[in-house]
Amino acid sequence: GGRVLVRILSLSNLNLTDLRGSSSMPDSSYQRALHHLHQMLGDGAEFRPGQWEAIEKVAVHKQRALVVQPTGWGKSLVYFIATRMLRDEGKGLTLLVSPLLSLMRNQIEMAKRIGIRAYTINSNNEDEWPEVERALRQNACDVLLISPERLANHHFQNLLTNVIQGRIGLFVVDEAHCISDWGHDFRPDYRRIVRILKALPPNVPVLGTTATANDRVLRDIREQLGEDLLILRGPLARKSLYLQNIVLRSQSERLAWLAENLPRLPGSGIVYCLTVPDTEQVAAWLKSQGIAAEAYHSQSEQREALEQRF
């Protein structure tokens, strides 16, 4: 059977090989964007409805926009292609704030196909910080990815003030619903984003992305990102998703159900657990039943290697 990754993390099932849409616009900006899309995904690729419009708002018109589209639609494609177009104009780097840095590695690999040089500063790569700072000072970084918690770090604040602040060409807030008190995953550190926004020149575009935002959350995000924020909203339903609920009375019954049914399912899968000890217990149990499973959580060693295996 397939491998099972037991983890406390949500995955973005981004199928970048199936981006399809239509546009017959002759505009040179569109043609440049389409060229980059082909570099990333192949000559037959076309934009999904709404993707070019989002790229155009930030890369061509330098506006502030919020993209509300379902997981898997290709929001990362929007900000990577927009970054390439802005950098080609001589604009500054893209500062990307995201709470899910580990989940972006496959998107970053795709972005390399259009020459995007992406770096990250996080608590797990301190040995790489000097290299990242050199790239920033030499204008050799196209995208800098940080977590919202990094905005509270004194060292990063100094770097932001002395090196990055005046050289931002695009500011991206991934999972933008986290900026709202009404969002399901509100993070106070996201509020620090507002201070950066206020320091940005008015001609620097801003892009927020989310797959989770009701009207109240959208109003709250607009208050944070600015009243001139354009909201580009698409249908959030995904026909490929199904939800099934099974009532199991105890932990032992749940473990027995997993051992019996996982071998019958094709491909790889994920078992979500509430705590770190739960992931270890479930992974150990599945291994004892001959199922290739690994625990994945904040304390796991070699998380990147586990992601690659998965």
Side-chain angles (χ1 to χ4, degrees):
R3 295 186 179 87
V4 175
L5 191 66
V6 182
R7 59 192 294 188
I8 313 174
L9 201 58
S10 26
L11 276 181
S12 171
N13 298 317
L14 181 62
N15 181 4
L16 287 176
T17 61
D18 188 32
L19 294 184
R20 295 292 183 266
S22 63
S23 180
S24 58
M25 296 179 59
D27 180 77
S28 61
S29 298
Y30 172 79
Q31 294 300 329
R32 284 192 291 132
L34 188 62
H35 172 70
H36 294 315
L37 179 72
H38 290 168
Q39 288 179 306
M40 295 175 76
L41 307 180
D43 290 339
E46 295 180 2
F47 286 114
R48 282 180 170 169
Q51 285 180 325
W52 160 245
E53 288 76 9
I55 294 169
E56 183 182 33
K57 295 300 182 189
V58 295
V60 179
H61 300 307
K62 313 296 189 293
Q63 294 175 296
R64 293 190 175 191
L66 174 68
V67 174
V68 186
Q69 292 283 359
T71 300
W73 176 81
K75 294 184 285 291
S76 63
L77 183 148
V78 169
Y79 50 70
F80 283 133
I81 290 182
T83 294
R84 180 70 277 154
M85 294 176 68
L86 289 166
R87 292 293 277 170
D88 289 344
E89 292 179 10
K91 304 299 183 183
L93 62 87
T94 292
L95 182 60
L96 169 56
V97 181
S98 172
L100 305 172
L101 301 185
S102 64
L103 302 184
M104 300 187 68
R105 292 192 182 105
N106 60 328
Q107 290 99 316
I108 291 172
E109 288 301 314
M110 194 70 67
K112 287 181 179 178
R113 299 183 183 180
I114 58 173
I116 293 292
R117 298 164 295 181
Y119 293 87
T120 180
I121 295 178
N122 59 68
S123 57
N124 295 320
N125 73 337
E126 290 189 28
D127 58 325
E128 299 174 13
W129 290 3
E131 176 189 354
V132 176
E133 291 190 27
R134 280 195 299 272
L136 289 169
R137 294 180 186 279
Q138 295 170 5
N139 196 29
C141 171
D142 300 311
V143 177
L144 179 64
L145 301 93
I146 61 168
S147 70
E149 291 75 20
R150 186 60 36 189
L151 297 174
N153 179 271
H154 181 69
H155 176 79
F156 182 78
Q157 288 177 347
N158 287 335
L159 184 66
L160 180 63
T161 302
N162 298 321
V163 180
I164 304 172
Q165 190 75 62
R167 299 164 59 185
I168 297 175
L170 171 63
F171 187 55
V172 179
V173 184
D174 194 26
E175 306 295 333
H177 59 272
C178 297
I179 207 172
S180 166
D181 286 322
W182 303 103
H184 79 280
D185 191 23
F186 169 64
R187 296 190 181 200
D189 284 306
Y190 261 69
R191 292 296 193 184
R192 293 186 172 89
I193 289 171
V194 178
R195 291 205 295 269
I196 299 178
L197 288 169
K198 290 180 178 178
L200 289 176
N203 63 335
V204 173
V206 175
L207 175 66
T209 66
T210 181
T212 310
N214 58 31
D215 290 340
R216 184 159 62 172
V217 172
L218 292 179
R219 287 195 297 270
D220 204 14
I221 294 173
R222 175 169 271 155
E223 288 180 5
Q224 304 301 321
L225 300 187
E227 289 300 321
D228 58 342
L229 184 71
L230 298 170
I231 296 179
L232 308 174
R233 192 173 190 175
L236 299 183
R238 297 181 64 195
K239 295 180 180 179
S240 61
L241 292 184
Y242 299 88
L243 180 66
Q244 185 176 16
N245 183 36
I246 302 171
V247 178
L248 299 171
R249 293 181 293 273
S250 65
Q251 173 80 340
S252 59
E253 192 173 351
R254 288 194 290 273
L255 291 174
W257 187 94
L258 289 172
E260 179 181 356
N261 288 280
L262 289 183
R264 302 174 181 175
L265 300 175
S268 301
I270 308 164
V271 177
Y272 294 92
C273 301
L274 292 177
T275 67
V276 169
D278 284 346
T279 63
E280 298 286 354
Q281 180 185 19
V282 174
W285 162 252
L286 294 178
K287 283 182 178 179
S288 73
Q289 301 302 303
I291 298 171
E294 297 290 347
Y296 183 106
H297 49 71
S298 61
Q299 300 168 25
S300 297
E301 296 181 359
Q302 299 180 325
R303 279 185 288 176
E304 186 171 354
L306 286 173
E307 293 167 20
Q308 293 300 326
R309 286 179 57 194
F310 177 68

